[in-house]
Amino acid sequence: RNFYNIIYEETHRLSQLIDNLLNLSMLETGAANIHIAPTRLKKLLQDCVDVVLPQCESHSIRLVADLPDRLPTLDLDKSLFTVAIMNILGNAVKYTPDGGTVTLFTVSKEDDFLIIIQDNGIGIPDTYLPRIFEKFFRCPAGEDQKRPGSGVGLATAMQIVRIHGGNIGVQSKIGEGTQFTILLPRSLINSSVGD
């Protein structure tokens, strides 16, 4: 059973790597088929939370989804945008120690709509923050090297958010955690569709 679990986890990890590489390649070359449609943001975010919840529970990580009852419907490529959220949320869980906390919440501003994912994990050194969205980049030293990864998840997330007219910001402190802020223009809100 132990060997089966290892094989399953490695197969899942390799599958995610292949998906991320394919998505990133198609986005960079302009070959990706973008399907923009009205997307209920709350359901998309809640579905992502439900996917990572078992991993959180197995490591006693508290996952807080502080989502209001009503979130706007956005014009997004649902499949691609889910990949972006999952890559960032999955990283937050991966780099948060057992017993830590990962929080997902939203902020509505006059010109922008923010999706914020923060953790109280190991943090990212200041010197590496400008490079974390580079393809294949991983911090060259420290605890993160003990965790499996390819360095394409954040690059893929950034490409996906940018094709939607948005951007991703990051703040981090070593030993205190990291906060990723996905900034989307309010022009993505589809006002003709109910919440």
Side-chain angles (χ1 to χ4, degrees), residues 118-193:
Q118 65 183 26
D119 63 65
N120 62 353
I122 62 175
I124 304 166
D126 288 344
T127 52
Y128 301 129
L129 277 177
R131 299 192 59 198
I132 62 170
F133 295 105
E134 291 178 15
K135 187 167 48 174
F136 302 119
F137 178 79
R138 296 188 74 208
C139 293
E143 193 176 341
D144 71 314
Q145 290 300 301
K146 300 175 186 175
R147 295 165 168 83
S150 60
V152 296
L154 291 179
T156 304
M158 179 62 91
Q159 287 280 358
I160 291 169
V161 171
R162 282 183 173 166
I163 65 169
H164 287 88
N167 204 356
I168 304 176
V170 59
Q171 296 176 308
S172 188
K173 287 188 178 179
I174 291 294
E176 294 184 19
T178 303
Q179 176 176 296
F180 284 91
T181 301
I182 301 170
L183 185 150
L184 298 172
R186 290 189 68 84
S187 58
L188 291 178
I189 295 176
N190 188 318
S191 57
S192 66
V193 179

Side-chain angles (χ1 to χ4, degrees), residues 53-143:
L53 193 55
Q55 184 182 356
C56 290
E57 291 173 345
S58 69
H59 291 280
S60 301
I61 293 172
R62 183 170 172 251
L63 179 57
V64 178
D66 188 9
L67 303 174
D69 291 336
R70 295 169 68 87
L71 280 176
T73 295
L74 302 182
D75 289 328
L76 301 170
D77 183 309
K78 181 181 178 181
S79 178
L80 280 179
F81 202 78
T82 298
V83 169
I85 297 294
M86 285 301 302
N87 284 352
I88 297 172
L89 190 58
N91 267 9
V93 172
K94 180 163 58 171
Y95 294 110
T96 296
D98 292 6
T101 301
V102 173
T103 305
L104 168 68
F105 62 99
T106 61
V107 176
S108 184
K109 294 192 170 184
E110 186 174 340
D111 296 320
D112 309 305
F113 189 83
L114 311 180
I115 300 169
I116 300 170
I117 297 169
Q118 65 183 26
D119 63 65
N120 62 353
I122 62 175
I124 304 166
D126 288 344
T127 52
Y128 301 129
L129 277 177
R131 299 192 59 198
I132 62 170
F133 295 105
E134 291 178 15
K135 187 167 48 174
F136 302 119
F137 178 79
R138 296 188 74 208
C139 293
E143 193 176 341

